[in-house]
Amino acid sequence: MKILLVGHELSISGAPNSLLRQACYFRDAGHNVDIFSLRDGDLKQRYLEEGFNPVIVEDSYDSIREAYNKQNKKYDFILCNTTVTYKVVDFLQRQKTPLVWFIRETRLVDIGMKEDVAFANIFKNFYNIYTVSDYAANVCKKYNKHVNVIYNAIQDNFKKYKTINNTIVFGFIGRISEDKGSKNLIEAFNNLVLENPNTELHIAGNYHHEFAKQLQDMNVPNVKWYGEVQKEEKEKFFNNIDVLVTASLDEPSGLTVIEGAMYGKPIITTDKTGSNYIVKDKESGFVVKAGDIEDLYKAMKMILDCDLVSMQKKSRRMYLKYGTTKKERKSVLKMLKENKKNFPVARRIDLDLCRQELCEWYKTATGSVLNLNDPQTFHEKMQWLKLYDSTPIKTSL
């Protein structure tokens, strides 16, 4: 089969890495795979090493159309990755080729549905959405019922369980930011370490920015800042910690949680972390209420009295059940098989309703009446394009 995968960027981050895994699954199954990306990035080198040559496409309808036509291929299956590719989805759903839109966001879905009329109409009418967790699926289903789930995966690099010593080391790895609950984690650990001085918190992530500096200035004892870690340094980080903690306020999946389970780490995570399905509450870790510092502190305190050796093994078993690349590969190829003849239905967009919703939003946002019949200002013209630059009616105006 001829397959086209479309990503939003080639940064070294979760979504582009997941798309690369899917590309490898398709290639290894004997299919021909082409890649489009809306932005270049450092991960392009890994795509090239795997034998893929991503085509960088500007995020505009004209560029998307030109790049697609230039390929001069009749694809058998197309997958677009993340909400950012919605213009590509809108164009490709008219090409009579089976199409999957793989959504890896939650908050951006909510924002797009409220603030972007063009995205909202494409999303709520699209016929075939996949996403990465039940949590993310529930967000998507608020606007579109056609949603399936394929869990994320992590390559298995497990070697051995860590020996538990007198000092219990909690660890966090990832972006240090408000939405990751970083401040909540620091405050919860501060409460813990005052009562339990034989505990440490190791944090791996870029701390050379204002928010992270504010956390460092709190001067919480027994906190070690690693900075960003990759490959061998990342493995070393996991080998040094006893318990993985993530305090995210909103996380569609959370590869770090899956990675922690792969290394056999007891895990504390939140009810708004998509991959919390891999944590068996009170057996391989704890699932706490997102944003609740007291709940997080209590979980960290309780886990000190748990049988961490037993929790290690249970966490590892949860990874083997849900988080292996073998399981993900099987699910991705099943998706391909089930969608071979699942052709898109490009629904007619109700432009009158769109105009009404856009005018109401514009009045609320700016206090001005939107003139769509004869737009004069830059902002009015931009709103006009939201309606008429993303549908076939553009050619008849």
Side-chain angles (χ1 to χ4, degrees):
M1 293 177 66
K2 295 175 183 172
I3 296 174
L4 174 64
L5 304 183
V6 184
H8 74 300
E9 64 181 29
L10 294 174
S11 63
I12 302 176
S13 57
N17 269 304
S18 295
L19 190 68
L20 177 58
R21 285 201 311 275
Q22 291 178 334
C24 291
Y25 297 151
F26 291 137
R27 177 203 61 197
D28 294 346
H31 304 297
N32 296 317
V33 181
D34 290 333
I35 311 283
F36 282 2
S37 177
L38 301 182
R39 293 181 62 184
D40 208 339
D42 293 337
L43 194 65
K44 184 176 182 178
Q45 183 58 38
R46 281 197 54 203
Y47 274 79
L48 293 173
E49 290 170 0
E50 290 290 348
F52 305 111
N53 188 14
V55 176
I56 308 304
V57 181
E58 185 181 336
D59 188 17
S60 71
Y61 282 92
D62 287 341
S63 296
I64 294 163
R65 185 181 298 105
E66 180 182 353
Y68 181 81
N69 291 337
K70 189 176 180 179
Q71 293 295 100
N72 195 28
K73 292 181 181 179
K74 174 59 180 174
Y75 289 104
D76 302 296
F77 177 78
I78 302 174
L79 183 148
C80 294
N81 200 38
T82 81
T83 59
V84 182
T85 62
Y86 74 91
K87 292 179 184 176
V88 186
V89 171
D90 187 34
F91 170 75
L92 292 177
Q93 70 177 334
R94 307 173 197 286
Q95 306 308 310
K96 299 181 180 179
T97 299
L99 177 62
V100 162
W101 194 359
F102 216 108
I103 302 297
R104 300 181 184 275
E105 304 97 330
T106 46
R107 186 175 60 88
L108 289 180
V109 171
D110 284 330
I111 292 173
M113 293 303 297
K114 292 175 183 177
E115 299 181 3
D116 190 328
V117 175
F119 168 82
N121 276 284
I122 296 166
F123 188 86
K124 71 184 180 183
N125 289 305
F126 190 70
Y127 79 113
N128 197 20
I129 292 172
Y130 280 72
T131 190
V132 290
S133 68
D134 299 315
Y135 171 65
N138 288 334
V139 172
C140 293
K141 285 178 180 178
K142 291 189 296 183
Y143 314 107
N144 188 320
K145 66 179 181 180
H146 305 288
V147 182
N148 298 284
V149 175
I150 293 179
Y151 292 146
N152 259 325
I154 286 288
Q155 183 68 41
D156 195 354
N157 295 319
F158 178 78
K159 293 184 175 65
K160 64 178 182 179
Y161 295 107
K162 180 182 182 295
T163 302
I164 305 299
N165 300 312
N166 292 330
T167 298
I168 300 301
V169 180
F170 295 88
F172 167 82
I173 180 170
R175 190 174 73 252
I176 300 168
S177 62
E178 189 170 350
D179 64 300
K180 294 291 187 182
S182 303
K183 189 171 188 292
N184 295 342
L185 174 57
I186 293 290
E187 291 184 3
F189 180 74
N190 186 49
N191 297 336
L192 181 75
V193 75
L194 294 176
E195 302 172 351
N196 301 274
N198 287 337
T199 56
E200 295 180 2
L201 174 61
H202 294 190
I203 297 177
N206 178 19
Y207 56 81
H208 299 293
H209 55 87
E210 186 59 34
F211 181 77
K213 290 176 181 177
Q214 291 174 10
L215 301 185
Q216 290 177 287
D217 290 342
M218 293 170 65
N219 293 318
V220 176
N222 295 0
V223 177
K224 181 177 179 180
W225 300 83
Y226 276 66
E228 291 185 285
V229 293
Q230 295 290 339
K231 297 181 180 179
E232 292 83 4
E233 289 300 314
K234 188 177 186 180
E235 185 175 347
K236 182 179 178 182
F237 170 83
F238 273 103
N239 289 337
N240 284 338
I241 69 171
D242 298 293
V243 179
L244 178 72
V245 186
T246 68
S248 294
L249 305 181
D250 178 72
E251 187 78 62
S253 176
L255 284 171
T256 298
V257 174
I258 303 172
E259 196 164 13
M262 180 271 290
Y263 281 112
K265 303 298 174 183
I267 297 166
I268 300 173
T269 189
T270 72
D271 58 355
K272 290 192 175 182
T273 298
S275 55
N276 61 24
Y277 58 82
I278 214 164
V279 179
K280 202 162 188 178
D281 196 29
K282 299 181 179 63
E283 292 189 30
S284 68
F286 293 91
V287 178
V288 303
K289 185 177 180 180
D292 191 327
I293 297 171
E294 181 67 16
D295 204 20
L296 180 58
Y297 154 72
K298 287 180 179 178
M300 295 173 78
K301 185 177 181 180
M302 282 191 292
I303 211 165
L304 296 178
D305 296 322
C306 291
D307 182 351
L308 293 182
V309 172
S310 175
M311 279 187 141
Q312 286 178 332
K313 295 175 182 177
K314 289 177 180 177
S315 187
R316 171 74 182 164
R317 285 200 293 269
M318 292 298 285
Y319 162 76
L320 294 174
K321 184 176 181 179
Y322 293 109
T324 65
T325 53
K326 181 179 179 180
K327 184 173 182 62
E328 184 187 42
R329 179 183 183 275
K330 182 178 180 181
S331 297
V332 168
L333 295 180
K334 181 182 177 184
M335 171 188 68
L336 177 62
K337 182 179 179 180
E338 291 177 345
N339 284 281
K340 281 182 179 179
K341 295 184 179 180
N342 190 12
F343 294 96
V345 180
R347 295 169 175 81
R348 181 176 177 82
I349 296 175
D350 187 341
L351 285 176
D352 289 336
L353 179 60
C354 290
R355 283 174 65 99
Q356 180 183 338
E357 292 177 349
L358 184 59
C359 288
E360 290 174 356
W361 169 82
Y362 190 84
K363 181 68 179 294
T364 302
T366 68
S368 302
V369 175
L370 176 59
N371 181 3
L372 287 173
N373 293 324
D374 186 23
Q376 296 297 316
T377 68
F378 171 79
H379 292 295
E380 285 182 337
K381 291 175 181 177
M382 289 301 293
Q383 303 313 312
W384 186 92
L385 286 171
K386 285 182 179 179
L387 288 177
Y388 301 118
D389 192 47
S390 61
T391 74
I393 197 171
K394 175 185 175 184
T395 59
S396 63
L397 290 176

